[in-house]
Amino acid sequence: MANRKLFIKSYGCQMNVYDAGRMTDVLTPLGYATTSRPDEADLVILNTCHIREKAAEKVFSDLGRLRAVKAARAEQGLDQMIVVAGCVAQAEGEALMARAPVVDVVVGSQAYHRLPELIARVHREAGRAIDTSFPADPKFDFLPQPSVQGPTAFLAVQEGCDKFCAYCVVPYTRGPEASRPVAAILDEARHLAQGGVREITVLGQNVNAYHGEGPDGRPWTLGRLLEALAAVPGIARLRYTTSHPRDMGDDLVIAHRDNPALMPFVHLPVQSGSDRVLAAMNRGHDRATYLRLIDRLRAARADLSFSSDFIVGHPGETEADLEATLSLIDAVGFVHSYAFKYSPRPGTPSAAHPGQLSPEVKSERLARVQERLGVHQRAALDLAVGTTMSVLLDRPGRHPGQLIGRGPAMQPVHLGTPGLAIGDLVEARIVAAGPLSLAGEPVEPERDASPPAWRVA
């Protein structure tokens, strides 16, 4: 199967982006090279998200388009295998195969390390294959070391969720909370650093619930793990996502105070500012608890910035509940956030709630929340003008010679100075703010003595 082409499309969260990369790593030894064109791919993988109805339906729209692509290739005597992976695959399984006959393989979010075996079975038996199991042995035990594509990388340390928020399917599609051993995580981090990675984002569905086994045989907290990751040579910056307010322990607050590699930025989903809605969502925290947590974190490090997630139009939400959300946004001043209309997911308690709101009401309320979030995002960008911040350049810009990086609070920063390269960690003076990003001028770049192979000048 040498010199075959792989097209992979990932939907949804950062964990899915990480999983897509790991699927590529699994398939590379079989001779697959990635392509950006599904029409030239021998293997197409849709790595799916089930968190909202729109995300799931987008998969079936894409499958409709792929049916035509697969038929056109068949007319030319070319095979194409289509795989649906991820959370839609996990949730729908056999029903997905019945609904979409064009699909050859369905593989769940915990079984994608078995892709080579499933692909071989389809070729051998000229049939279809499905695996939505939760193997007793975690998939990470079977995955090769990840490929390195640039100066930043995701590193999954925790998967699954035990919180059972009333609107959410993650506990059913990702399984219960499970944490990787510290030794395996540090081994992967050293591999990434040796490949030129300078910033690691530690991933988990509830990453601050991390409790992996340490070298001493005892469970480590996320704060302790971040301390060990900061000691890996070459790693200059650390981030983590996504956190749950219920799992933000003292050790993690202290880590923001004492770990200089940990960026001063926390993504901490609140979902609503109304205690009544939070109780209906089964979030396990109230508004006052969330705001006290923000205060504790800011007391540990004054320059901390925050982002969040909001679900607007949860069943039973009133105008007063929405106003409570707007006032919480004002109280925290999030630098950027994500807001979505509530989407009923089959089998969740919220889907059976009698107080479902109309699409029109949800759309109108979402617009108001997004407008308020935008006010604070623009204010944060404007306040950055005239300051100096550390920027890790990670991609080319739209214009010749322009590079883009991220500031400490994930702000996109554009630099147009000649002589810089992707992978440089630059002290930049911010000279202008746009609607969504900043423009800067370097003060003094810090260069690697031996640039990695992926570096693009």
Side-chain angles (χ1 to χ4, degrees):
M1 291 177 61
N3 301 317
R4 296 176 71 82
K5 296 292 187 181
L6 164 67
F7 172 83
I8 184 164
K9 179 176 180 178
S10 202
Y11 311 71
C13 67
Q14 290 167 314
M15 184 68 82
N16 267 17
V17 175
Y18 174 85
D19 286 344
R22 306 304 273 124
M23 291 181 209
T24 303
D25 295 333
V26 167
L27 295 168
T28 297
L30 300 185
Y32 284 97
T34 57
T35 176
S36 60
R37 293 180 50 180
D39 62 315
E40 66 178 26
D42 303 284
L43 176 63
V44 173
I45 300 176
L46 302 183
N47 186 33
T48 61
C49 174
H50 201 56
I51 199 73
R52 287 178 297 279
E53 184 178 11
K54 184 176 180 180
E57 287 304 317
K58 194 179 296 183
V59 174
F60 291 101
S61 295
D62 285 344
L63 286 172
R65 287 186 283 272
L66 286 171
R67 183 171 60 247
V69 171
K70 187 172 184 177
R73 283 177 58 89
E75 290 178 359
Q76 302 171 45
L78 300 173
D79 292 333
Q80 185 176 76
M81 185 179 297
I82 296 177
V83 176
V84 176
C87 291
V88 171
Q90 191 73 51
E92 303 204 11
E94 295 280 3
L96 188 154
M97 297 196 89
R99 179 176 173 182
V102 72
V103 175
D104 300 290
V105 176
V106 170
V107 61
S109 51
Q110 300 304 320
Y112 63 73
H113 59 287
R114 294 176 174 170
L115 266 172
E117 172 191 336
L118 296 170
I119 291 168
R121 188 193 310 170
V122 171
H123 282 295
R124 184 174 61 249
E125 301 173 2
R128 305 168 83 190
I130 182 170
D131 189 344
T132 55
S133 63
F134 286 88
D137 296 321
K139 66 189 176 195
F140 295 104
D141 293 349
F142 302 92
L143 295 174
Q145 288 285 22
S147 57
V148 178
Q149 304 296 330
T152 65
F154 294 130
L155 200 169
V157 304
Q158 182 272 344
E159 279 198 284
C161 182
D162 296 341
K163 302 299 187 290
F164 289 94
C165 295
Y167 53 82
C168 188
V169 296
V170 168
Y172 312 101
T173 59
R174 288 280 182 172
E177 290 176 357
S179 298
R180 296 177 66 189
V182 171
I185 294 167
L186 293 179
D187 186 48
E188 188 169 325
R190 285 188 285 268
H191 167 80
L192 294 170
Q194 289 164 6
V197 168
R198 308 199 70 186
E199 176 182 291
I200 287 175
T201 299
V202 175
L203 291 182
Q205 264 81 41
N206 284 319
V207 69
N208 55 345
Y210 177 80
H211 58 276
E213 181 182 3
D216 54 2
R218 300 169 66 88
W220 281 28
T221 63
L222 182 61
R224 189 173 181 186
L225 176 65
L226 290 167
E227 181 181 1
L229 286 169
V232 173
I235 299 303
R237 308 196 338 172
L238 295 170
R239 304 183 187 275
Y240 61 92
T241 195
T242 292
S243 297
H244 196 292
R246 288 165 58 182
D247 294 319
M248 187 67 71
D250 290 340
D251 71 295
L252 198 47
V253 176
I254 292 169
H256 278 285
R257 183 192 69 191
D258 296 343
N259 189 340
L262 185 56
M263 291 293 95
F265 175 77
V266 180
H267 182 65
L268 191 60
V270 64
Q271 306 300 0
S272 175
S274 162
D275 284 345
R276 202 178 65 83
V277 173
L278 289 170
M281 289 178 166
N282 193 37
R283 286 290 290 170
H285 66 84
D286 59 17
R287 175 194 180 97
T289 302
Y290 184 87
L291 291 174
R292 282 196 298 271
L293 180 53
I294 297 291
D295 289 342
R296 284 174 55 212
L297 286 160
R298 281 183 168 149
R301 182 161 181 175
D303 63 342
L304 266 180
S305 298
F306 297 90
S307 69
S308 194
D309 292 342
F310 293 90
I311 294 175
V312 180
H314 187 269
E317 181 190 77
T318 66
E319 184 67 25
D321 295 325
L322 182 73
E323 289 296 331
T325 294
L326 295 172
S327 69
L328 183 137
I329 291 169
D330 290 338
V332 177
F334 299 101
V335 296
H336 56 83
S337 292
Y338 306 96
F340 306 97
K341 291 183 286 187
Y342 167 75
S343 177
R345 307 314 296 130
T348 60
S350 292
H353 192 290
Q356 303 291 326
L357 303 184
S358 71
E360 294 77 16
V361 168
K362 288 191 284 188
S363 293
E364 186 271 337
R365 291 182 180 178
L366 176 64
R368 289 161 61 190
V369 167
Q370 289 176 328
E371 189 277 332
R372 189 69 59 88
L373 289 168
V375 167
H376 291 281
Q377 179 174 343
R378 289 188 295 274
L381 292 170
D382 289 342
L383 284 172
V385 176
T387 67
T388 299
M389 66 176 62
S390 171
V391 178
L392 178 59
L393 299 172
D394 59 9
R395 61 196 187 279
R398 295 182 180 179
H399 307 294
Q402 185 186 66
L403 294 174
I404 302 174
R406 295 282 181 178
M410 294 295 288
Q411 313 98 318
V413 181
H414 300 252
L415 296 176
T417 305
L420 297 178
I422 290 177
D424 283 341
L425 188 59
V426 181
E427 285 297 312
R429 183 180 298 106
I430 304 305
V431 296
L436 300 174
S437 63
L438 300 169
E441 296 175 346
V443 177
E444 183 180 354
E446 176 190 325
R447 303 297 295 267
D448 286 338
S450 54
W454 48 257
R455 171 162 279 174
V456 179

PDB file of all heavy atoms in Angstrom, residues 317-339:
ATOM      1  N   GLU A 317     -34.553  28.579  30.029  1.00  0.00           N
ATOM      2  CA  GLU A 317     -33.868  29.849  30.236  1.00  0.00           C
ATOM      3  C   GLU A 317     -34.831  31.016  30.029  1.00  0.00           C
ATOM      4  O   GLU A 317     -35.563  31.066  29.037  1.00  0.00           O
ATOM      5  CB  GLU A 317     -32.694  29.967  29.266  1.00  0.00           C
ATOM      6  CG  GLU A 317     -31.892  31.269  29.421  1.00  0.00           C
ATOM      7  CD  GLU A 317     -30.892  31.455  28.286  1.00  0.00           C
ATOM      8  OE1 GLU A 317     -31.334  31.835  27.169  1.00  0.00           O
ATOM      9  OE2 GLU A 317     -29.691  31.205  28.517  1.00  0.00           O
ATOM     10  N   THR A 318     -34.823  31.954  30.971  1.00  0.00           N
ATOM     11  CA  THR A 318     -35.671  33.142  30.879  1.00  0.00           C
ATOM     12  C   THR A 318     -34.829  34.356  30.511  1.00  0.00           C
ATOM     13  O   THR A 318     -33.591  34.302  30.466  1.00  0.00           O
ATOM     14  CB  THR A 318     -36.356  33.412  32.218  1.00  0.00           C
ATOM     15  OG1 THR A 318     -35.341  33.756  33.191  1.00  0.00           O
ATOM     16  CG2 THR A 318     -37.140  32.197  32.701  1.00  0.00           C
ATOM     17  N   GLU A 319     -35.516  35.464  30.276  1.00  0.00           N
ATOM     18  CA  GLU A 319     -34.816  36.708  29.990  1.00  0.00           C
ATOM     19  C   GLU A 319     -33.942  37.114  31.181  1.00  0.00           C
ATOM     20  O   GLU A 319     -32.821  37.607  31.005  1.00  0.00           O
ATOM     21  CB  GLU A 319     -35.822  37.813  29.669  1.00  0.00           C
ATOM     22  CG  GLU A 319     -35.213  39.136  29.252  1.00  0.00           C
ATOM     23  CD  GLU A 319     -34.488  39.067  27.920  1.00  0.00           C
ATOM     24  OE1 GLU A 319     -34.820  38.196  27.089  1.00  0.00           O
ATOM     25  OE2 GLU A 319     -33.561  39.891  27.705  1.00  0.00           O
ATOM     26  N   ALA A 320     -34.437  36.868  32.401  1.00  0.00           N
ATOM     27  CA  ALA A 320     -33.639  37.179  33.594  1.00  0.00           C
ATOM     28  C   ALA A 320     -32.384  36.318  33.664  1.00  0.00           C
ATOM     29  O   ALA A 320     -31.315  36.789  34.080  1.00  0.00           O
ATOM     30  CB  ALA A 320     -34.483  36.988  34.853  1.00  0.00           C
ATOM     31  N   ASP A 321     -32.496  35.058  33.251  1.00  0.00           N
ATOM     32  CA  ASP A 321     -31.323  34.179  33.221  1.00  0.00           C
ATOM     33  C   ASP A 321     -30.290  34.703  32.230  1.00  0.00           C
ATOM     34  O   ASP A 321     -29.080  34.685  32.506  1.00  0.00           O
ATOM     35  CB  ASP A 321     -31.731  32.757  32.825  1.00  0.00           C
ATOM     36  CG  ASP A 321     -32.638  32.097  33.854  1.00  0.00           C
ATOM     37  OD1 ASP A 321     -32.450  32.343  35.059  1.00  0.00           O
ATOM     38  OD2 ASP A 321     -33.527  31.332  33.439  1.00  0.00           O
ATOM     39  N   LEU A 322     -30.751  35.165  31.079  1.00  0.00           N
ATOM     40  CA  LEU A 322     -29.823  35.709  30.094  1.00  0.00           C
ATOM     41  C   LEU A 322     -29.133  36.952  30.630  1.00  0.00           C
ATOM     42  O   LEU A 322     -27.923  37.140  30.442  1.00  0.00           O
ATOM     43  CB  LEU A 322     -30.549  36.029  28.793  1.00  0.00           C
ATOM     44  CG  LEU A 322     -29.637  36.561  27.686  1.00  0.00           C
ATOM     45  CD1 LEU A 322     -28.770  35.441  27.121  1.00  0.00           C
ATOM     46  CD2 LEU A 322     -30.421  37.231  26.580  1.00  0.00           C
ATOM     47  N   GLU A 323     -29.887  37.815  31.305  1.00  0.00           N
ATOM     48  CA  GLU A 323     -29.282  39.015  31.882  1.00  0.00           C
ATOM     49  C   GLU A 323     -28.210  38.640  32.904  1.00  0.00           C
ATOM     50  O   GLU A 323     -27.185  39.330  33.022  1.00  0.00           O
ATOM     51  CB  GLU A 323     -30.357  39.894  32.523  1.00  0.00           C
ATOM     52  CG  GLU A 323     -31.269  40.592  31.519  1.00  0.00           C
ATOM     53  CD  GLU A 323     -30.516  41.581  30.633  1.00  0.00           C
ATOM     54  OE1 GLU A 323     -29.491  42.140  31.095  1.00  0.00           O
ATOM     55  OE2 GLU A 323     -30.943  41.795  29.478  1.00  0.00           O
ATOM     56  N   ALA A 324     -28.431  37.551  33.640  1.00  0.00           N
ATOM     57  CA  ALA A 324     -27.419  37.093  34.602  1.00  0.00           C
ATOM     58  C   ALA A 324     -26.151  36.662  33.879  1.00  0.00           C
ATOM     59  O   ALA A 324     -25.028  36.895  34.362  1.00  0.00           O
ATOM     60  CB  ALA A 324     -27.972  35.939  35.435  1.00  0.00           C
ATOM     61  N   THR A 325     -26.301  36.043  32.719  1.00  0.00           N
ATOM     62  CA  THR A 325     -25.127  35.665  31.924  1.00  0.00           C
ATOM     63  C   THR A 325     -24.389  36.903  31.428  1.00  0.00           C
ATOM     64  O   THR A 325     -23.156  36.989  31.498  1.00  0.00           O
ATOM     65  CB  THR A 325     -25.553  34.782  30.734  1.00  0.00           C
ATOM     66  OG1 THR A 325     -26.066  33.547  31.235  1.00  0.00           O
ATOM     67  CG2 THR A 325     -24.393  34.506  29.797  1.00  0.00           C
ATOM     68  N   LEU A 326     -25.124  37.885  30.938  1.00  0.00           N
ATOM     69  CA  LEU A 326     -24.494  39.116  30.459  1.00  0.00           C
ATOM     70  C   LEU A 326     -23.761  39.838  31.580  1.00  0.00           C
ATOM     71  O   LEU A 326     -22.659  40.372  31.370  1.00  0.00           O
ATOM     72  CB  LEU A 326     -25.550  40.023  29.830  1.00  0.00           C
ATOM     73  CG  LEU A 326     -26.232  39.495  28.563  1.00  0.00           C
ATOM     74  CD1 LEU A 326     -27.381  40.406  28.152  1.00  0.00           C
ATOM     75  CD2 LEU A 326     -25.229  39.348  27.423  1.00  0.00           C
ATOM     76  N   SER A 327     -24.329  39.840  32.764  1.00  0.00           N
ATOM     77  CA  SER A 327     -23.672  40.530  33.870  1.00  0.00           C
ATOM     78  C   SER A 327     -22.423  39.777  34.331  1.00  0.00           C
ATOM     79  O   SER A 327     -21.440  40.391  34.756  1.00  0.00           O
ATOM     80  CB  SER A 327     -24.642  40.715  35.043  1.00  0.00           C
ATOM     81  OG  SER A 327     -24.955  39.486  35.659  1.00  0.00           O
ATOM     82  N   LEU A 328     -22.431  38.447  34.217  1.00  0.00           N
ATOM     83  CA  LEU A 328     -21.229  37.683  34.559  1.00  0.00           C
ATOM     84  C   LEU A 328     -20.113  37.975  33.553  1.00  0.00           C
ATOM     85  O   LEU A 328     -18.947  38.091  33.928  1.00  0.00           O
ATOM     86  CB  LEU A 328     -21.536  36.193  34.610  1.00  0.00           C
ATOM     87  CG  LEU A 328     -20.357  35.302  35.031  1.00  0.00           C
ATOM     88  CD1 LEU A 328     -20.798  34.228  36.020  1.00  0.00           C
ATOM     89  CD2 LEU A 328     -19.686  34.653  33.825  1.00  0.00           C
ATOM     90  N   ILE A 329     -20.475  38.094  32.276  1.00  0.00           N
ATOM     91  CA  ILE A 329     -19.482  38.457  31.262  1.00  0.00           C
ATOM     92  C   ILE A 329     -18.830  39.783  31.610  1.00  0.00           C
ATOM     93  O   ILE A 329     -17.604  39.948  31.523  1.00  0.00           O
ATOM     94  CB  ILE A 329     -20.147  38.507  29.871  1.00  0.00           C
ATOM     95  CG1 ILE A 329     -20.542  37.095  29.419  1.00  0.00           C
ATOM     96  CG2 ILE A 329     -19.219  39.166  28.845  1.00  0.00           C
ATOM     97  CD1 ILE A 329     -21.426  37.076  28.187  1.00  0.00           C
ATOM     98  N   ASP A 330     -19.639  40.736  32.042  1.00  0.00           N
ATOM     99  CA  ASP A 330     -19.098  42.041  32.429  1.00  0.00           C
ATOM    100  C   ASP A 330     -18.227  41.933  33.674  1.00  0.00           C
ATOM    101  O   ASP A 330     -17.209  42.627  33.801  1.00  0.00           O
ATOM    102  CB  ASP A 330     -20.242  43.027  32.678  1.00  0.00           C
ATOM    103  CG  ASP A 330     -20.971  43.425  31.407  1.00  0.00           C
ATOM    104  OD1 ASP A 330     -20.377  43.287  30.314  1.00  0.00           O
ATOM    105  OD2 ASP A 330     -22.139  43.848  31.499  1.00  0.00           O
ATOM    106  N   ALA A 331     -18.625  41.064  34.610  1.00  0.00           N
ATOM    107  CA  ALA A 331     -17.890  40.946  35.864  1.00  0.00           C
ATOM    108  C   ALA A 331     -16.495  40.358  35.654  1.00  0.00           C
ATOM    109  O   ALA A 331     -15.539  40.752  36.332  1.00  0.00           O
ATOM    110  CB  ALA A 331     -18.682  40.073  36.850  1.00  0.00           C
ATOM    111  N   VAL A 332     -16.357  39.430  34.712  1.00  0.00           N
ATOM    112  CA  VAL A 332     -15.066  38.768  34.497  1.00  0.00           C
ATOM    113  C   VAL A 332     -14.248  39.490  33.438  1.00  0.00           C
ATOM    114  O   VAL A 332     -13.036  39.650  33.581  1.00  0.00           O
ATOM    115  CB  VAL A 332     -15.276  37.288  34.110  1.00  0.00           C
ATOM    116  CG1 VAL A 332     -13.934  36.623  33.810  1.00  0.00           C
ATOM    117  CG2 VAL A 332     -16.008  36.546  35.214  1.00  0.00           C
ATOM    118  N   GLY A 333     -14.893  39.943  32.355  1.00  0.00           N
ATOM    119  CA  GLY A 333     -14.164  40.585  31.272  1.00  0.00           C
ATOM    120  C   GLY A 333     -13.329  39.595  30.480  1.00  0.00           C
ATOM    121  O   GLY A 333     -12.110  39.762  30.328  1.00  0.00           O
ATOM    122  N   PHE A 334     -13.959  38.547  29.964  1.00  0.00           N
ATOM    123  CA  PHE A 334     -13.254  37.517  29.208  1.00  0.00           C
ATOM    124  C   PHE A 334     -12.566  38.116  27.979  1.00  0.00           C
ATOM    125  O   PHE A 334     -13.152  38.927  27.261  1.00  0.00           O
ATOM    126  CB  PHE A 334     -14.233  36.432  28.755  1.00  0.00           C
ATOM    127  CG  PHE A 334     -14.918  35.724  29.885  1.00  0.00           C
ATOM    128  CD1 PHE A 334     -16.215  36.061  30.242  1.00  0.00           C
ATOM    129  CD2 PHE A 334     -14.263  34.736  30.600  1.00  0.00           C
ATOM    130  CE1 PHE A 334     -16.866  35.422  31.286  1.00  0.00           C
ATOM    131  CE2 PHE A 334     -14.898  34.085  31.648  1.00  0.00           C
ATOM    132  CZ  PHE A 334     -16.197  34.426  31.995  1.00  0.00           C
ATOM    133  N   VAL A 335     -11.331  37.666  27.717  1.00  0.00           N
ATOM    134  CA  VAL A 335     -10.608  38.219  26.576  1.00  0.00           C
ATOM    135  C   VAL A 335     -11.102  37.631  25.261  1.00  0.00           C
ATOM    136  O   VAL A 335     -10.977  38.248  24.208  1.00  0.00           O
ATOM    137  CB  VAL A 335      -9.086  38.025  26.715  1.00  0.00           C
ATOM    138  CG1 VAL A 335      -8.557  38.803  27.914  1.00  0.00           C
ATOM    139  CG2 VAL A 335      -8.705  36.551  26.812  1.00  0.00           C
ATOM    140  N   HIS A 336     -11.590  36.423  25.282  1.00  0.00           N
ATOM    141  CA  HIS A 336     -12.367  35.869  24.167  1.00  0.00           C
ATOM    142  C   HIS A 336     -13.039  34.601  24.653  1.00  0.00           C
ATOM    143  O   HIS A 336     -12.608  33.967  25.624  1.00  0.00           O
ATOM    144  CB  HIS A 336     -11.527  35.603  22.905  1.00  0.00           C
ATOM    145  CG  HIS A 336     -10.342  34.716  23.101  1.00  0.00           C
ATOM    146  ND1 HIS A 336     -10.415  33.345  23.101  1.00  0.00           N
ATOM    147  CD2 HIS A 336      -9.029  35.010  23.279  1.00  0.00           C
ATOM    148  CE1 HIS A 336      -9.209  32.831  23.268  1.00  0.00           C
ATOM    149  NE2 HIS A 336      -8.353  33.818  23.388  1.00  0.00           N
ATOM    150  N   SER A 337     -14.141  34.249  24.009  1.00  0.00           N
ATOM    151  CA  SER A 337     -14.938  33.113  24.459  1.00  0.00           C
ATOM    152  C   SER A 337     -15.711  32.534  23.289  1.00  0.00           C
ATOM    153  O   SER A 337     -15.776  33.121  22.203  1.00  0.00           O
ATOM    154  CB  SER A 337     -15.921  33.536  25.565  1.00  0.00           C
ATOM    155  OG  SER A 337     -15.234  33.875  26.756  1.00  0.00           O
ATOM    156  N   TYR A 338     -16.325  31.388  23.546  1.00  0.00           N
ATOM    157  CA  TYR A 338     -17.156  30.708  22.563  1.00  0.00           C
ATOM    158  C   TYR A 338     -18.579  30.634  23.095  1.00  0.00           C
ATOM    159  O   TYR A 338     -18.799  30.263  24.253  1.00  0.00           O
ATOM    160  CB  TYR A 338     -16.628  29.298  22.299  1.00  0.00           C
ATOM    161  CG  TYR A 338     -15.177  29.285  21.897  1.00  0.00           C
ATOM    162  CD1 TYR A 338     -14.181  29.063  22.849  1.00  0.00           C
ATOM    163  CD2 TYR A 338     -14.797  29.513  20.581  1.00  0.00           C
ATOM    164  CE1 TYR A 338     -12.845  29.061  22.487  1.00  0.00           C
ATOM    165  CE2 TYR A 338     -13.462  29.515  20.208  1.00  0.00           C
ATOM    166  CZ  TYR A 338     -12.487  29.288  21.175  1.00  0.00           C
ATOM    167  OH  TYR A 338     -11.167  29.292  20.818  1.00  0.00           O
ATOM    168  N   ALA A 339     -19.532  30.996  22.252  1.00  0.00           N
ATOM    169  CA  ALA A 339     -20.939  30.948  22.643  1.00  0.00           C
ATOM    170  C   ALA A 339     -21.723  30.225  21.560  1.00  0.00           C
ATOM    171  O   ALA A 339     -21.504  30.454  20.365  1.00  0.00           O
ATOM    172  CB  ALA A 339     -21.491  32.359  22.848  1.00  0.00           C
TER     173      ALA A 339
END
